[in-house]
Amino acid sequence: MKKKDLWIIVAAALCAAALLVGAKFVESKPRQGQLGLPDGATLEFTDVTPTASGRALSWLFASACAEEDAQTQEADAAEADAEEADAAETEPAEADAEEADAGSQEGAAYANLDEETVAALEEWGMEVAESYLIVWMGDYFQPIPLIEKYDGQLLRVARTEADYNVVEIGVNRFDMHEATCPDQVCLTEGEVTLENRNSRLLGSYIICMPNNVVLELKTPEELLDLLAQSTVE
């Protein structure tokens, strides 16, 4: 047997062992905890693909036009006035469209929930969603709604500056994107979705044992059960 093949077999065995240990952990995971963060821990959202700001683009445009003569500048000023007038006319319509879009997204989140569940979530100060990412750090937990608002963002979960995990967020789904743990097993555990959580080996969980970070997907009803049994920091 080649040395390379042996290393592959050993790595696969270690990965399988870690998953089995994780499965045992899931079976014994306590269903209560403390809402909040342990001392020194942080949660921080960041965009996957940062975009240039309007201010930066305006500066580039101004620099490119700096050498225009007075006549061109007057034409630009007139065009700007016309655009401003158009914007003033279209702004109310755009605002109404944005409000309608926000309302449709909110309606989608409410669609499968009864009024009592929605009221209970709002009483806890939670954004209404079909599912939630629960970030466990030891006995502490923080819920993150898996909604359109956070789609395409990364969540940095840091126990310390050196020990952290980065979670990719989507609508009703999440995946481990990056981790500082030595074995990197959590990166191989796959995406958790509302649809696949009942068929995965680890169910609703992604587990990073070295960093003591556990990610769990919960429905609104399951989150309310957890909150009801929890203590608040």
Side-chain angles (χ1 to χ4, degrees), residues 53-65:
S53 69
R55 179 177 300 177
L57 293 176
S58 297
W59 182 87
L60 288 172
F61 180 78
S63 298
C65 297

Side-chain angles (χ1 to χ4, degrees), residues 12-27:
L14 288 174
C15 184
L19 289 174
L20 288 174
V21 170
K24 293 292 184 182
F25 172 85
V26 168
E27 293 174 2

Side-chain angles (χ1 to χ4, degrees), residues 67-78:
E67 297 181 359
E68 289 186 348
D69 58 26
Q71 183 178 0
T72 304
Q73 290 178 8
E74 291 176 4
D76 288 344

Side-chain angles (χ1 to χ4, degrees), residues 26-59:
V26 168
E27 293 174 2
S28 61
K29 179 68 186 175
R31 309 310 294 177
Q32 59 185 15
Q34 182 166 318
L35 179 61
L37 296 174
D39 291 341
T42 59
L43 294 181
E44 180 183 7
F45 272 112
T46 179
D47 291 333
V48 175
T49 308
T51 56
S53 69
R55 179 177 300 177
L57 293 176
S58 297
W59 182 87

Side-chain angles (χ1 to χ4, degrees), residues 1-24:
M1 180 181 295
K2 295 181 180 179
K3 187 175 182 179
K4 180 180 179 181
D5 295 337
L6 180 60
W7 278 112
I8 292 175
I9 293 173
V10 170
L14 288 174
C15 184
L19 289 174
L20 288 174
V21 170
K24 293 292 184 182

Side-chain angles (χ1 to χ4, degrees), residues 1 5 10 37-38 43 50 54 84 86 106 123 140 170 192 201 208:
M1 180 181 295
D5 295 337
V10 170
L37 296 174
L43 294 181
E84 185 176 349
D86 290 341
E106 183 178 358
E123 185 175 349
Y140 290 83
V192 180
L201 176 62
C208 183

Side-chain angles (χ1 to χ4, degrees), residues 194-213:
L194 198 57
E195 291 75 24
N196 76 2
R197 68 178 188 144
N198 293 326
S199 59
R200 296 176 70 253
L201 176 62
L202 294 180
S204 295
Y205 295 88
I206 292 178
I207 301 169
C208 183
M209 300 191 76
N211 287 354
N212 196 19
V213 170

